[in-house]
């Protein structure tokens, strides 16, 4: 998949657990795992906005396009 989700990098930089992140964003830890592991097929803009708000980052900090 050419889009890489970098949530784990941003969580590590902020020393935030998946559980805390999930609670603050309004997702289940299982859904965060789906996003982190690159198994998600889509992300709602409202979810992306909440993730950026919680992590105080830009969407490009969470999503990276990598050529095949």
């Amino acid at each position: 998949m050419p889009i890489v989700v970098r949530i784990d990098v941003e969580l590590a930089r902020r020393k935030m657990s998946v559980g805390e992140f999930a609670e603050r964003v309004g997702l289940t830890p299982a859904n965060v795992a789906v996003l982190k592991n690159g198994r998600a097929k889509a992300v709602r803009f409202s979810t992306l906005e909440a993730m950026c708000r919680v992590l105080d980052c830009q969407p490009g900090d969470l999503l990276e396009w990598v050529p095949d």
Side-chain angles (χ1 to χ4, degrees):
M1 175 186 249
I3 301 293
V4 177
V5 181
R6 299 171 42 92
I7 294 172
D8 54 344
V9 173
E10 296 301 319
L11 288 176
R13 287 179 62 200
R14 288 157 181 81
K15 296 183 173 109
M16 185 181 295
S17 71
V18 171
E20 178 185 355
F21 177 70
E23 183 177 322
R24 291 178 63 186
V25 172
L27 296 172
T28 65
N31 284 340
V32 173
V34 168
L35 288 168
K36 273 182 48 177
N37 296 328
R39 291 180 284 146
K41 298 296 181 192
V43 179
R44 292 176 189 236
F45 281 134
S46 59
T47 302
L48 184 58
E49 178 184 355
M51 292 189 299
C52 289
R53 181 178 27 80
V54 167
L55 295 173
D56 190 28
C57 67
Q58 294 295 313
D61 297 330
L62 300 176
L63 303 172
E64 177 183 8
W65 177 74
V66 178
D68 287 335

